[in-house]
Amino acid sequence: MGATMLRSCARLIRRGIALPGQPQSPRPLPCCYTTPRFYSPEVIRDYAMPNATWSKNLQDLYNRYMEGSQSGAWERIPSYNATVHHIKGVPPSRTRENRLFTRNLDQDGVGFEYSMFYNKAERRMVCLFQPGPYLEGPPGFTHGGCIATIIDSTTGAGAVYLCGSVMTANLTINYKNPIPLGHVVIIDSKVERVEGRKVYTSCQIRSHDDAVLHTEASALFIKLGP
Amino acid sequence: MGATMLRSCARLIRRGIALPGQPQSPRPLPCCYTTPRFYSPEVIRDYAMPNATWSKNLQDLYNRYMEGSQSGAWERIPSYNATVHHIKGVPPSRTRENRLFTRNLDQDGVGFEYSMFYNKAERRMVCLFQPGPYLEGPPGFTHGGCIATIIDSTTGAGAVYLCGSVMTANLTINYKNPIPLGHVVIIDSKVERVEGRKVYTSCQIRSHDDAVLHTEASALFIKLGP
């Protein structure tokens, strides 16, 4: 599996990945998951900032991590609704019809409401997540694929902040307790080790008050680029 | 893991799962993933029917499986944009603010365009899938979480059609080749075995022309109810 993905990534690196609307011709790798840069709010909206649909639990957690960021332990990660805005060198004015999967809804509060914080010393990426009513799987509960998505995004961001651009090679998820829609959870991920191009991560999802373990997961990423 | 999920499911069965807007009181289990019934198109829209945004590749595949359904080998599965519409006994007129995760966008063609077919004799659930531009992960490619979502949905539907209501306990995914946005793929899943309440499934995602193996996965579901 790792070897297959490595070959697949090597092909992508050789060929380059065409951005949509561009011909499939060799070009520099535009990166996959990459570290975003900060824009001023007037230029591009940062969706990781609080809005009126955030519950008190989500807002309280956000405030706690923001306090942690003032001491330098945690760094808040910006989040935009198009992948290209996360890539250095692509101008924000570029018109795009594509949207990042986790930021594709027009209305606040109905989909993924989340904010991530990075702890460099501990190689941890934490995501504070409030699933909205448009993320339903079982009646009243968050879809298993939605949980997989926030795990992929959080562990992937952690891998990127340590190692640069990566692609997902494996995702293994054990669902232990369903997550009710609207309940705030914390996705706590860590880069466990790096072996060559392979970046091994682990992840737990717990309720906002730490009382319930909802999900355990591991994810393997492959480093791209030089 | 299986044992933990079994305990978790047993708790849900004992307590009942409250539908949003209802108090958390003991009530009959409303089911999780369940077999949908057919409504007439005037009552509820069936999103698994072709629309103008479907590419020729998706339409051709759909036509091929529809021919297979005339011989009785395959059964087309309806798909609605709210989970409750898939549950027997809940009237379609019931107003709901929740939406099924895979059908939560207002505009055709930008998100999950898919249709599933079930082969009872072979215990196979096949999903024909065209990822739209709002499902982006790496630039130009489908988000890993989106791929996990369509795997969870397809394998889960296969488990449901064989065993009744289930919940996801484990998802293990090996990503081998990224899926370009707009490219039609086939998710081909199978129930491998059933052991007590555990339903083991496997799954492959291939390009519409069978030339590329994009993803391999396995999923474990826990049967609910009696």
Side-chain angles (χ1 to χ4, degrees):
Chain A
M1 168 270 299
T4 311
M5 190 66 191
L6 275 172
R7 283 196 297 275
S8 165
C9 289
R11 275 200 305 277
L12 287 172
I13 291 167
R14 280 198 304 276
R15 290 201 317 241
I17 302 173
L19 288 168
Q22 292 188 328
Q24 281 275 359
S25 60
R27 55 184 302 285
L29 187 73
C31 308
C32 292
Y33 295 115
T34 54
T35 53
R37 59 179 181 183
F38 281 89
Y39 292 99
S40 79
E42 298 78 34
V43 178
I44 299 179
R45 178 178 170 187
D46 180 352
Y47 286 81
M49 305 279 283
N51 66 57
T53 71
W54 284 26
S55 66
K56 185 174 183 307
N57 286 335
L58 183 55
Q59 184 70 59
D60 285 352
L61 275 177
Y62 179 86
N63 292 344
R64 195 192 308 167
Y65 278 88
M66 283 302 284
E67 285 169 22
S69 74
Q70 281 162 12
S71 74
W74 293 93
E75 177 189 354
R76 195 185 71 81
I77 308 300
S79 175
Y80 311 110
N81 72 348
T83 314
V84 288
H85 295 155
H86 297 77
I87 299 174
K88 291 181 177 67
V90 177
S93 59
R94 183 172 161 171
T95 307
R96 299 263 308 177
E97 65 161 2
N98 292 7
R99 287 193 192 174
L100 182 65
F101 180 40
T102 54
R103 300 289 189 192
N104 66 8
L105 290 161
D106 291 321
Q107 191 185 341
D108 286 343
V110 295
F112 291 85
E113 290 293 339
Y114 65 96
S115 191
M116 292 189 198
F117 291 83
Y118 183 55
N119 186 315
K120 189 175 179 180
E122 298 177 1
R123 295 176 162 199
R124 279 168 71 197
M125 184 68 78
V126 163
C127 177
L128 317 175
F129 174 42
Q130 175 183 295
Y134 283 17
L135 306 184
E136 192 172 48
F141 291 91
T142 309
H143 195 291
C146 165
I147 296 168
T149 299
I150 204 73
I151 289 171
D152 183 36
S153 298
T154 306
T155 54
V160 157
Y161 269 72
L162 187 68
C163 301
S165 304
V166 301
M167 284 193 81
T168 317
N170 173 270
L171 208 53
T172 300
I173 303 171
N174 291 323
Y175 297 90
K176 292 177 177 295
N177 280 290
I179 301 174
L181 293 172
H183 284 219
V184 173
V185 294
I186 304 175
I187 298 98
D188 191 347
S189 80
K190 189 177 180 182
V191 173
E192 296 289 348
R193 63 188 194 282
V194 180
E195 294 175 2
R197 286 189 177 273
K198 296 182 182 176
V199 186
Y200 294 87
T201 68
S202 67
C203 179
Q204 280 196 338
I205 303 183
R206 290 185 168 275
S207 56
H208 70 92
D209 58 0
D210 210 40
V212 181
L213 172 62
H214 289 288
T215 321
E216 282 186 323
S218 63
L220 168 64
F221 296 90
I222 305 296
K223 283 199 277 185
L224 301 176
Chain B
M1 166 270 298
T4 311
M5 189 66 189
L6 275 172
R7 282 195 298 275
S8 165
C9 288
R11 274 199 306 275
L12 287 172
I13 292 167
R14 280 197 304 274
R15 289 199 319 241
I17 302 173
L19 288 168
Q22 292 188 327
Q24 281 274 0
S25 60
R27 55 184 302 283
L29 187 73
C31 307
C32 292
Y33 294 115
T34 54
T35 53
R37 59 180 181 182
F38 281 89
Y39 293 99
S40 80
E42 297 77 34
V43 178
I44 299 179
R45 177 178 171 188
D46 180 352
Y47 287 81
M49 306 278 283
N51 67 56
T53 70
W54 283 27
S55 66
K56 185 175 182 307
N57 285 335
L58 183 56
Q59 184 70 59
D60 286 351
L61 275 177
Y62 179 86
N63 293 343
R64 195 191 308 167
Y65 278 88
M66 283 303 283
E67 285 169 23
S69 74
Q70 282 162 12
S71 75
W74 293 94
E75 178 189 354
R76 195 185 72 80
I77 307 300
S79 175
Y80 311 111
N81 72 348
T83 314
V84 287
H85 295 155
H86 296 77
I87 299 174
K88 292 180 177 67
V90 177
S93 60
R94 184 173 161 170
T95 306
R96 297 266 306 180
E97 63 163 3
N98 292 7
R99 288 193 191 174
L100 182 65
F101 180 41
T102 53
R103 302 289 189 191
N104 67 8
L105 290 161
D106 292 320
Q107 190 185 342
D108 286 343
V110 296
F112 290 85
E113 290 293 339
Y114 66 96
S115 191
M116 292 188 198
F117 290 83
Y118 183 56
N119 186 316
K120 188 176 181 179
E122 298 177 1
R123 297 177 161 199
R124 279 168 70 197
M125 185 66 79
V126 163
C127 178
L128 317 175
F129 174 42
Q130 175 183 293
Y134 283 17
L135 306 183
E136 192 170 48
F141 291 91
T142 309
H143 195 290
C146 166
I147 297 168
T149 299
I150 204 74
I151 289 171
D152 183 36
S153 299
T154 306
T155 54
V160 157
Y161 268 72
L162 187 68
C163 301
S165 304
V166 301
M167 284 194 80
T168 317
N170 172 271
L171 208 52
T172 300
I173 303 172
N174 291 323
Y175 297 90
K176 292 176 177 295
N177 280 290
I179 301 174
L181 293 173
H183 284 220
V184 174
V185 294
I186 304 175
I187 298 98
D188 191 347
S189 80
K190 190 178 179 181
V191 173
E192 296 289 348
R193 63 188 194 281
V194 181
E195 294 176 4
R197 288 191 177 271
K198 296 182 181 176
V199 186
Y200 293 87
T201 68
S202 67
C203 178
Q204 281 196 337
I205 303 183
R206 290 185 168 275
S207 55
H208 69 92
D209 57 1
D210 211 39
V212 180
L213 172 62
H214 289 289
T215 321
E216 281 186 323
S218 63
L220 168 64
F221 297 89
I222 305 294
K223 283 199 276 184
L224 301 176

Tab-separated table of all heavy atoms in Angstrom, chain A residues 12 17 19 56 74-75 79 91 96 124 127 134 138 142-143 152 154-155 161 188 192-193 209:
chain	number	residue	atom	x	y	z
A	12	LEU	N	2.806	11.588	-10.017
A	12	LEU	CA	2.240	12.944	-9.948
A	12	LEU	C	3.355	13.988	-9.952
A	12	LEU	O	3.245	15.036	-10.592
A	12	LEU	CB	1.391	13.107	-8.682
A	12	LEU	CG	0.045	12.400	-8.684
A	12	LEU	CD1	-0.589	12.499	-7.309
A	12	LEU	CD2	-0.877	13.010	-9.729
A	17	ILE	N	0.699	18.088	-11.301
A	17	ILE	CA	-0.748	17.980	-11.179
A	17	ILE	C	-1.344	19.207	-11.839
A	17	ILE	O	-1.002	20.329	-11.489
A	17	ILE	CB	-1.182	17.930	-9.698
A	17	ILE	CG1	-0.515	16.747	-9.001
A	17	ILE	CG2	-2.688	17.829	-9.579
A	17	ILE	CD1	-0.762	16.725	-7.499
A	19	LEU	N	-3.919	22.025	-12.433
A	19	LEU	CA	-5.046	22.671	-11.776
A	19	LEU	C	-6.225	22.613	-12.733
A	19	LEU	O	-6.052	22.635	-13.938
A	19	LEU	CB	-4.710	24.135	-11.459
A	19	LEU	CG	-3.712	24.353	-10.327
A	19	LEU	CD1	-3.244	25.794	-10.318
A	19	LEU	CD2	-4.344	24.000	-8.995
A	56	LYS	N	-21.824	27.983	22.778
A	56	LYS	CA	-20.958	28.438	23.874
A	56	LYS	C	-19.786	27.465	24.066
A	56	LYS	O	-18.654	27.891	24.321
A	56	LYS	CB	-21.782	28.561	25.158
A	56	LYS	CG	-20.989	29.148	26.329
A	56	LYS	CD	-21.846	29.393	27.540
A	56	LYS	CE	-21.029	30.041	28.668
A	56	LYS	NZ	-19.802	29.308	29.011
A	74	TRP	N	0.486	27.381	21.250
A	74	TRP	CA	-0.415	27.006	20.159
A	74	TRP	C	-0.436	28.092	19.093
A	74	TRP	O	-0.322	29.278	19.392
A	74	TRP	CB	-1.838	26.793	20.701
A	74	TRP	CG	-1.947	25.611	21.606
A	74	TRP	CD1	-1.839	25.625	22.969
A	74	TRP	CD2	-2.150	24.256	21.224
A	74	TRP	NE1	-1.969	24.343	23.462
A	74	TRP	CE2	-2.166	23.487	22.415
A	74	TRP	CE3	-2.328	23.601	20.004
A	74	TRP	CZ2	-2.354	22.097	22.412
A	74	TRP	CZ3	-2.515	22.234	19.992
A	74	TRP	CH2	-2.521	21.488	21.182
A	75	GLU	N	-0.647	27.640	17.841
A	75	GLU	CA	-0.758	28.578	16.718
A	75	GLU	C	-2.103	28.347	16.041
A	75	GLU	O	-2.427	27.217	15.654
A	75	GLU	CB	0.378	28.325	15.719
A	75	GLU	CG	0.317	29.196	14.484
A	75	GLU	CD	1.342	28.772	13.415
A	75	GLU	OE1	2.158	27.871	13.695
A	75	GLU	OE2	1.291	29.338	12.321
A	79	SER	N	-8.306	29.197	7.675
A	79	SER	CA	-9.004	28.234	6.819
A	79	SER	C	-9.864	28.981	5.808
A	79	SER	O	-10.686	29.817	6.181
A	79	SER	CB	-9.882	27.333	7.697
A	79	SER	OG	-10.660	26.471	6.914
A	91	PRO	N	-2.501	33.867	-6.485
A	91	PRO	CA	-3.134	35.114	-6.024
A	91	PRO	C	-4.566	34.879	-5.573
A	91	PRO	O	-5.294	34.099	-6.192
A	91	PRO	CB	-3.090	36.010	-7.264
A	91	PRO	CG	-2.922	35.078	-8.416
A	91	PRO	CD	-2.185	33.876	-7.911
A	96	ARG	N	-12.238	30.949	-9.016
A	96	ARG	CA	-12.242	29.487	-8.996
A	96	ARG	C	-13.649	29.002	-8.758
A	96	ARG	O	-14.372	29.522	-7.917
A	96	ARG	CB	-11.372	28.978	-7.844
A	96	ARG	CG	-9.936	29.374	-7.938
A	96	ARG	CD	-9.128	28.296	-8.525
A	96	ARG	NE	-9.366	27.051	-7.798
A	96	ARG	CZ	-8.826	25.902	-8.121
A	96	ARG	NH1	-8.046	25.817	-9.157
A	96	ARG	NH2	-9.067	24.815	-7.424
A	124	ARG	N	1.421	18.283	17.574
A	124	ARG	CA	-0.025	18.045	17.672
A	124	ARG	C	-0.811	19.067	16.853
A	124	ARG	O	-0.480	20.252	16.863
A	124	ARG	CB	-0.495	18.140	19.124
A	124	ARG	CG	-0.258	16.895	19.956
A	124	ARG	CD	-0.477	17.200	21.415
A	124	ARG	NE	-1.879	17.422	21.755
A	124	ARG	CZ	-2.280	18.018	22.885
A	124	ARG	NH1	-1.395	18.456	23.759
A	124	ARG	NH2	-3.563	18.152	23.131
A	127	CYS	N	-8.293	20.081	16.443
A	127	CYS	CA	-9.407	20.702	15.723
A	127	CYS	C	-10.628	20.738	16.643
A	127	CYS	O	-11.025	19.713	17.204
A	127	CYS	CB	-9.721	19.887	14.465
A	127	CYS	SG	-11.126	20.503	13.527
A	134	TYR	N	-26.564	19.628	8.441
A	134	TYR	CA	-26.446	19.119	7.064
A	134	TYR	C	-25.392	18.014	6.950
A	134	TYR	O	-25.016	17.625	5.847
A	134	TYR	CB	-26.080	20.256	6.103
A	134	TYR	CG	-27.219	21.177	5.742
A	134	TYR	CD1	-28.396	21.224	6.491
A	134	TYR	CD2	-27.135	22.021	4.636
A	134	TYR	CE1	-29.426	22.077	6.166
A	134	TYR	CE2	-28.170	22.874	4.297
A	134	TYR	CZ	-29.312	22.905	5.069
A	134	TYR	OH	-30.337	23.755	4.735
A	138	PRO	N	-26.755	8.592	10.474
A	138	PRO	CA	-27.890	8.072	11.247
A	138	PRO	C	-28.719	9.242	11.785
A	138	PRO	O	-28.149	10.312	12.056
A	138	PRO	CB	-27.205	7.319	12.398
A	138	PRO	CG	-25.831	7.025	11.928
A	138	PRO	CD	-25.449	8.164	11.031
A	142	THR	N	-23.852	12.478	13.404
A	142	THR	CA	-22.923	12.853	12.348
A	142	THR	C	-22.591	11.635	11.464
A	142	THR	O	-22.362	10.540	11.971
A	142	THR	CB	-21.628	13.404	12.990
A	142	THR	OG1	-21.995	14.415	13.939
A	142	THR	CG2	-20.711	13.994	11.958
A	143	HIS	N	-22.547	11.863	10.154
A	143	HIS	CA	-22.232	10.804	9.184
A	143	HIS	C	-20.811	10.275	9.421
A	143	HIS	O	-19.895	11.052	9.692
A	143	HIS	CB	-22.351	11.394	7.779
A	143	HIS	CG	-22.411	10.392	6.670
A	143	HIS	ND1	-21.343	9.605	6.306
A	143	HIS	CD2	-23.424	10.033	5.849
A	143	HIS	CE1	-21.698	8.819	5.301
A	143	HIS	NE2	-22.959	9.053	5.000
A	152	ASP	N	-9.197	13.175	8.457
A	152	ASP	CA	-8.240	13.336	7.351
A	152	ASP	C	-7.704	14.767	7.326
A	152	ASP	O	-6.493	14.991	7.172
A	152	ASP	CB	-8.948	12.994	6.034
A	152	ASP	CG	-8.015	13.061	4.829
A	152	ASP	OD1	-6.838	12.699	4.963
A	152	ASP	OD2	-8.481	13.477	3.741
A	154	THR	N	-7.573	17.039	9.787
A	154	THR	CA	-6.782	17.427	10.961
A	154	THR	C	-5.420	16.740	10.964
A	154	THR	O	-4.376	17.389	11.144
A	154	THR	CB	-7.549	17.090	12.262
A	154	THR	OG1	-8.841	17.690	12.211
A	154	THR	CG2	-6.807	17.589	13.483
A	155	THR	N	-5.420	15.414	10.779
A	155	THR	CA	-4.138	14.702	10.756
A	155	THR	C	-3.289	15.179	9.581
A	155	THR	O	-2.065	15.322	9.701
A	155	THR	CB	-4.349	13.172	10.671
A	155	THR	OG1	-5.190	12.883	9.548
A	155	THR	CG2	-4.985	12.620	11.926
A	161	TYR	N	2.229	20.634	8.558
A	161	TYR	CA	2.955	21.632	9.356
A	161	TYR	C	4.321	21.121	9.808
A	161	TYR	O	5.224	21.900	10.061
A	161	TYR	CB	2.102	22.100	10.545
A	161	TYR	CG	1.289	23.307	10.163
A	161	TYR	CD1	0.201	23.199	9.310
A	161	TYR	CD2	1.663	24.589	10.582
A	161	TYR	CE1	-0.516	24.309	8.906
A	161	TYR	CE2	0.936	25.715	10.185
A	161	TYR	CZ	-0.143	25.559	9.354
A	161	TYR	OH	-0.840	26.674	8.946
A	188	ASP	N	-7.952	15.454	18.340
A	188	ASP	CA	-6.600	15.678	18.844
A	188	ASP	C	-5.662	14.723	18.108
A	188	ASP	O	-5.702	13.510	18.321
A	188	ASP	CB	-6.575	15.400	20.361
A	188	ASP	CG	-5.278	15.863	21.007
A	188	ASP	OD1	-4.318	16.157	20.272
A	188	ASP	OD2	-5.238	15.935	22.248
A	192	GLU	N	3.240	10.718	14.918
A	192	GLU	CA	3.929	9.747	15.777
A	192	GLU	C	5.377	9.536	15.346
A	192	GLU	O	6.280	9.467	16.171
A	192	GLU	CB	3.184	8.402	15.748
A	192	GLU	CG	1.772	8.472	16.329
A	192	GLU	CD	1.773	8.642	17.851
A	192	GLU	OE1	2.834	8.482	18.465
A	192	GLU	OE2	0.701	8.958	18.407
A	193	ARG	N	5.581	9.406	14.014
A	193	ARG	CA	6.949	9.231	13.511
A	193	ARG	C	6.982	9.497	12.019
A	193	ARG	O	5.960	9.445	11.336
A	193	ARG	CB	7.468	7.815	13.823
A	193	ARG	CG	6.695	6.693	13.169
A	193	ARG	CD	7.160	5.336	13.691
A	193	ARG	NE	6.668	4.252	12.844
A	193	ARG	CZ	5.422	3.778	12.897
A	193	ARG	NH1	4.557	4.284	13.736
A	193	ARG	NH2	5.060	2.793	12.089
A	209	ASP	N	-16.068	18.081	26.700
A	209	ASP	CA	-15.763	18.035	28.142
A	209	ASP	C	-14.898	16.835	28.498
A	209	ASP	O	-14.713	16.523	29.667
A	209	ASP	CB	-17.070	17.989	28.943
A	209	ASP	CG	-17.936	16.786	28.553
A	209	ASP	OD1	-17.507	16.004	27.667
A	209	ASP	OD2	-19.041	16.647	29.098
